[in-house]
Amino acid sequence: MEKLKKRWGITSNFQLVVIFIVFAVTGSTSAYLSKPVLAWMSITKETFPPYFYYPLYIILIFPIYQVLLVFFGFVAGQFQFFWSFEKRMLKTLGLGFLFKK
């Protein structure tokens, strides 16, 4: 855990636990919210074959996850950590142009 704390610039175990909880809640919530969004768009398992439905489901989870990660990080008082984490992740995916000044 010390390596992770050092890598992320975290000073306390409590902060690390809060960050882990935010990651867990964000992942679960984004997966939970993706199904109703797909249903709203009339995309269901019954109307689309599984090889189309599940990739769309996974693709939809990604932007929902990004937004919720920053939101839950803000609620947990860790906005600065999650905002910088978000920027690094998007830059790694080749979307760094979104943060140019």
Side-chain angles (χ1 to χ4, degrees):
M1 290 295 178
E2 292 303 317
K3 281 185 177 181
L4 190 58
K5 284 171 50 177
K6 185 178 179 183
R7 180 178 174 194
W8 284 351
I10 297 171
T11 56
S12 70
N13 288 335
F14 177 75
Q15 189 178 11
L16 187 63
V17 169
V18 169
I19 289 169
F20 284 156
I21 290 170
V22 168
F23 278 124
V25 170
T26 302
S28 301
T29 306
S30 63
Y32 179 78
L33 290 177
S34 293
K35 285 185 183 182
V37 171
L38 283 174
W40 176 76
M41 296 176 359
S42 300
I43 300 172
T44 63
K45 292 178 189 177
E46 292 77 30
T47 59
F48 279 80
Y51 51 85
F52 283 127
Y53 177 79
Y54 288 110
L56 288 173
Y57 178 63
I58 292 169
I59 289 168
L60 183 62
I61 287 175
F62 182 73
I64 292 173
Y65 182 85
Q66 304 309 314
V67 171
L68 289 177
L69 187 63
V70 175
F71 172 74
F72 286 132
F74 173 77
V75 170
Q78 298 295 322
F79 176 79
Q80 192 61 41
F81 172 81
F82 285 104
W83 182 243
S84 63
F85 186 88
E86 187 72 29
K87 289 192 291 189
R88 276 182 293 172
M89 183 171 30
L90 291 174
K91 284 178 185 176
T92 301
L93 293 173
L95 300 172
F97 65 89
L98 296 171
F99 302 106
K100 299 258 182 194
K101 293 182 181 181

